[in-house]
Amino acid sequence: MTTSGSRLSANQSQAPCGFLILDKPAGVTSHGCVALVRRRYGLKRVGHGGTLDPAVTGVLPLALGSATRLLPYLDGAKAYRGVIQLGLCTDSDDLTGAVLERRPLPPLSRQELEAALNPFRGPILQRPPQVSAVHVQGERAYARARRGEHSELQERAVTIERLELLSWEPSSGQLELEVRCSAGTYIRSLARDLGEALVCGGALARLRRTEALGFTLSGAVGLEDLEAEPPPPPLAPLLALGQYPAFTLEPGDLVSWRCGRRLAGPAHLSEDQVVVILDPDGNLAGMARTVPDGWLQPRLVLEAMG
């Protein structure tokens, strides 16, 4: 797939548009990062690809301008490196919360830890932390927790695709993990549940997100980089859509596409498949889905007409 340009189309080059990948530092909220980018690029439309807690660092993808419309199409899987502290329980399931209980550490070998981690690999049910953004009766769970209220949060189906034990320090009770998981997975819940399985308690000590929406730290910039003049250019939206097949429009089909008409697609595509649509110059023209009889039904049309 071509990745020409760093804008949604050549005709939109006046307005910043694409993806900016921040390496968020600790102590800054995701909302604060969005507000900073809005001011720096002079944009109202800025969206993020998954909130990071203030204490968490790492990959925070931000969609600028019309690229916000592409967020539902991006890969929701995320990857982290984190440190879990065994031997205690907190009200937030991490070390920022109040300690509820301390327990002695059992003697654990690396092999025993691996065995304890194994049930958390693959599809699992996971209960979100009390301090989370989950809605409870129209209110965020963290708002209720701050008032000292306990919420009955339902377990959710998530998938932990990779769970690797990187290190284990018996003297401190800390273990480091590498995790790749589906959207909606809480690493704080993983820390809590691992501690429960080991009957000693556990809480998340540190966490760094290394991948989100298909973007990694290799393309990330720091908040200090936003002070440059001009600020860093957004990455091409096509860089985040490589998991989908692409279809390039013929010049005579461009007007029909921009009017939202369905078009005949390539015969090799299966039904109900998401397809990236490129204009004849190789720029992103929108997103479609295949329907019966080989047609491409527009789902997102850039530079729409009429």
Side-chain angles (χ1 to χ4, degrees):
M1 178 186 297
T2 178
T3 56
S4 61
S6 61
R7 303 291 187 264
L8 287 174
S9 76
N11 294 334
Q12 291 177 307
S13 59
Q14 296 295 323
C17 195
F19 292 97
L20 184 72
I21 315 306
L22 286 183
D23 184 354
K24 189 189 84 66
V28 182
T29 66
S30 298
H31 179 75
C33 291
V34 169
L36 175 61
V37 169
R38 281 176 178 154
R39 293 194 301 270
R40 192 67 186 90
Y41 288 84
L43 291 171
K44 290 185 178 180
R45 296 179 66 185
V46 176
H48 64 73
T51 301
L52 286 178
D53 292 338
V56 180
T57 69
V59 174
L60 180 65
L62 298 174
L64 278 60
S66 296
T68 56
R69 300 169 67 190
L70 296 172
L71 286 172
Y73 295 96
L74 302 191
D75 181 4
K78 297 175 174 63
Y80 300 88
R81 287 182 69 127
V83 174
I84 293 175
Q85 176 67 61
L86 297 179
L88 56 80
C89 303
T90 74
D91 60 0
S92 62
D93 298 325
D94 64 13
L95 296 189
T96 67
V99 175
L100 301 176
E101 185 180 6
R102 294 186 183 274
R103 301 176 187 170
L105 286 171
L108 288 169
S109 67
R110 189 180 181 99
Q111 290 73 24
E112 289 170 323
L113 266 181
E114 287 283 6
L117 288 169
N118 196 52
F120 298 100
R121 296 183 170 106
I124 63 172
L125 292 176
Q126 186 185 72
R127 177 169 49 84
Q130 287 293 308
V131 182
S132 66
V134 175
H135 279 96
V136 181
Q137 299 177 349
E139 189 177 18
R140 300 287 189 182
Y142 62 71
R144 296 166 61 93
R146 287 170 183 166
R147 296 196 301 266
E149 299 176 19
H150 180 86
S151 301
E152 294 298 330
L153 302 179
Q154 298 297 313
E155 291 184 324
R156 297 179 168 194
V158 299
T159 300
I160 298 183
E161 302 170 13
R162 185 174 72 248
L163 180 57
E164 182 179 352
L165 178 60
L166 300 179
S167 66
W168 164 235
E169 298 179 1
S171 59
S172 65
Q174 289 194 343
L175 60 142
E176 185 176 12
L177 297 174
E178 186 172 75
V179 184
R180 180 174 173 81
C181 53
S182 63
T185 304
Y186 284 92
I187 310 303
R188 283 182 290 143
S189 293
L190 175 62
R192 176 201 65 213
D193 294 344
L194 177 62
E196 290 180 357
L198 294 169
V199 201
C200 65
L204 185 65
R206 296 190 302 277
L207 187 64
R208 181 163 176 77
R209 190 158 70 186
T210 57
E211 182 181 346
L213 302 187
F215 296 105
T216 66
L217 284 167
S218 63
V221 299
L223 290 183
E224 65 279 2
D225 295 316
L226 297 181
E227 301 303 321
E229 194 58 55
L235 297 175
L238 288 175
L239 295 175
L241 299 171
Q243 71 270 33
Y244 298 119
F247 179 74
T248 302
L249 300 172
E250 296 294 333
D253 291 331
L254 188 56
V255 171
S256 291
W257 170 260
R258 288 177 175 169
C259 289
R261 304 186 188 115
R262 67 178 188 170
L263 302 171
H268 67 275
L269 294 179
S270 60
E271 187 178 332
D272 199 31
Q273 186 170 9
V274 175
V275 181
V276 175
I277 305 299
L278 306 176
D279 69 18
D281 295 326
N283 296 305
L284 184 63
M287 305 294 293
R289 187 176 290 275
T290 54
V291 294
D293 301 323
W295 292 94
L296 291 172
Q297 182 66 47
R299 286 291 182 263
L300 167 61
V301 177
L302 302 173
E303 299 187 41
M305 299 171 61

